[in-house]
Amino acid sequence: MANANPPVLVAQGIGHLARNFFREVGSLFWFVVNTFEETFERIQHGRVPFRAASFFRHTERTGVDSVPLVGLVSFFLGLTMALLTGYQLQRFGTERLIPGLVAIGFTRELGPLLTGIMLAARIGAAFTAELGTMQVSEEVEAIEAMGIGPLRFLVAPRMLALVLLMPCLSTVSNIAAIFASSLICKAYFSIAFPYFLDLVKDSLLIRDIITGILKSFLFGLLISAIACYRGLTVKGGAAGVGTSTTSSVVTAVTAVIGFDTLYNVVYTTFYPT
Amino acid sequence: MTKPTHMVELRDVYMQFEEKKILDDLSLRVEPQERLVVMGQTGSGKSTILRLILGTLRPNSGSIFFKQFEITRLQRRKLQAVRQHMGMVYQYSALLSSRNVRDNVALPLEELTDKSRAEIDKIVDEKLELVGMKDSKDLLPEELSGGMRKRVALARALVLEIISLSETAKVTSITVTHEMDSAFRIGTRMAMLYQGKIIEEAEPEEFKQSKNPVVAQFLSGSTEGPILEGSLDAITKK
């Protein structure tokens, strides 16, 4: 290998990375498919796939406990966005565009995206660490050994909780940001609250809201799938749990931003205005 | 390929992790109601044998049968159904840390049967009573000692017996250990695993008299003999 041609080595390296990437994507895809299959199979047999208590525990942790973080971060970003764009727009006498700009920006794009990033860090990391610890302490294998499907028992309640709660948290994010921008509009640009609401209603389309909600579902599925997959494939004890948790957050954040871009490209192709 | 009449059979199983060979064309049979003890050094592949039987690991080559089922060829769904007829007690118990003792023992009954809460409670109480842990059913695994955890894990494995066996049936067991005292107390047949192969199989008394130098050294705990220097720790610690 010492005499190998540098371009060949680079090509080999790229090939190796590409192979690993596609293998991971394939594994993740089948992980999601198998989770759905195992869950629906159980339902077909007339039995609940997981305990309601388990599902509600995850919804509480994923949703209710995340409200302060999502709300607060979105509130501050709403303030900043309204303030910075407001001063620029004021130069052209168009500061009444601020409410629409913040409302559309958050509903369609920033709300789901910010929520996705925050939940990838907060909940994705927790899921990976929890399942990873169960994996290294043989708890997952013990569940499997009893003939209980670990995908429907461990993964499905987490996945469902995150998928269902993501749109709710995105909505919290949108409302917090819009409320924050209304405060800025009132304080700095003399836009009264009723007029602010009229401007928001005039600029916001149902399509924007639906787009944001659809994105949220997708991000919820992505984050939970990546986090649970990384957790259940932990190798190498406590150090492995740490490595997988970091990897889970990095992968989930990258995937959320990547899919958001892809979604926008596809969306603007079909709905350019 | 002929279907086996044994309870468990491993046929020419080869298994390696990365570059390390663990099992080398190993063959092993377990008859119904037999209590087989597989002995061997730490890292010799004893636990791998159990994981292969459970189907949580797949061999590189060879076949594994549980009753008439070929574990190595079963689909995930069928494998889950077959696993309901096996009970496994782990070295470190593997109790679910988020559930208390009662919920750990009740788990297989809640998930795999249609029994009512009252019926499940009755069975759980019986099994916990059997292992002397009835008073600890509200405790979490972290609040238990190592020995207590093992007893709870045993109660959980015994619960699976209710799912898979009729009351009169006797259990077939495979135990892997390097702990000699308990091995001879529970086993009806002993097997020695060394360098990926079963090098000796016999009834306990016959096994103790084995002329095989590896078995003799392992049983005596001697540092002199064919067992590699680096592997002696596990034996000499005993």
Side-chain angles (χ1 to χ4, degrees), chain A residues 49-64:
Chain A
F50 43 78
R51 297 209 299 182
S54 165
F55 171 69
F56 287 121
R57 191 164 52 87
H58 292 302
T59 50
E60 187 184 355
R61 202 169 56 149
T62 308
V64 181

Side-chain angles (χ1 to χ4, degrees), chain A residues 4-266:
Chain A
N5 203 352
V8 174
L9 284 176
V10 171
Q12 273 179 348
I14 293 169
H16 183 69
L17 282 175
R19 192 185 61 184
N20 282 348
F21 173 76
F22 286 115
R23 194 167 50 195
E24 285 284 286
V25 171
S27 301
L28 189 64
F29 173 76
W30 286 113
F31 178 79
V32 175
V33 170
N34 287 335
T35 304
F36 276 90
E37 198 185 50
E38 220 171 76
T39 307
F40 286 113
E41 209 172 273
R42 179 88 169 169
I43 295 168
Q44 272 177 348
H45 284 95
R47 306 198 60 168
V48 287
F50 43 78
R51 297 209 299 182
S54 165
F55 171 69
F56 287 121
R57 191 164 52 87
H58 292 302
T59 50
E60 187 184 355
R61 202 169 56 149
T62 308
V64 181
D65 293 353
S66 299
V67 168
L69 173 75
V70 171
L72 210 60
V73 171
S74 302
F75 180 84
F76 289 136
L77 273 166
L79 285 180
T80 310
M81 195 172 165
L83 201 59
L84 293 182
T85 53
Y87 279 123
Q88 301 304 316
L89 293 171
Q90 201 176 32
R91 288 163 61 194
F92 305 102
T94 53
E95 61 268 31
R96 64 191 168 78
L97 293 178
I98 303 170
L101 194 114
V102 174
I104 294 172
F106 262 86
T107 313
R108 244 170 91 159
E109 185 64 34
L110 290 174
L113 187 66
L114 280 173
T115 309
I117 292 170
M118 282 185 272
L119 288 203
R122 188 178 182 275
I123 304 299
F127 282 178
T128 306
E130 193 178 25
L131 293 178
T133 308
M134 289 180 79
Q135 177 72 26
V136 297
S137 60
E138 295 178 325
E139 288 179 37
V140 177
E141 195 182 286
I143 290 169
E144 244 184 312
M146 283 185 264
I148 301 168
L151 296 180
R152 64 126 179 120
F153 184 71
L154 296 172
V155 176
R158 287 172 171 82
M159 210 176 248
L160 189 66
L162 200 52
V163 168
L164 293 182
L165 267 295
M166 266 297 285
C168 303
L169 288 167
S170 286
T171 308
V172 168
S173 167
N174 298 339
I175 292 169
I178 293 168
F179 174 67
S181 69
S182 77
L183 297 180
I184 293 292
C185 285
K186 175 88 177 92
Y188 290 86
F189 305 108
S190 307
I191 300 174
F193 194 65
Y195 184 46
F196 178 92
L197 275 184
D198 284 342
L199 289 172
V200 168
K201 276 191 274 184
D202 286 346
S203 56
L204 208 56
L205 301 174
I206 292 290
R207 206 172 71 185
D208 299 322
I209 298 169
I210 292 173
T211 302
I213 288 172
L214 286 179
K215 268 187 195 178
S216 302
F217 279 123
L218 179 71
F219 294 165
L221 182 66
L222 266 177
I223 296 163
S224 56
I226 291 169
C228 295
Y229 172 75
R230 285 271 186 257
L232 291 182
T233 51
V234 163
K235 284 190 179 76
V241 176
T243 310
S244 279
T245 306
T246 309
S247 164
S248 161
V249 174
V250 172
T251 313
V253 169
T254 313
V256 162
I257 297 171
F259 268 85
D260 184 57
T261 310
L262 190 69
Y263 189 103
N264 288 338
V265 170
V266 173

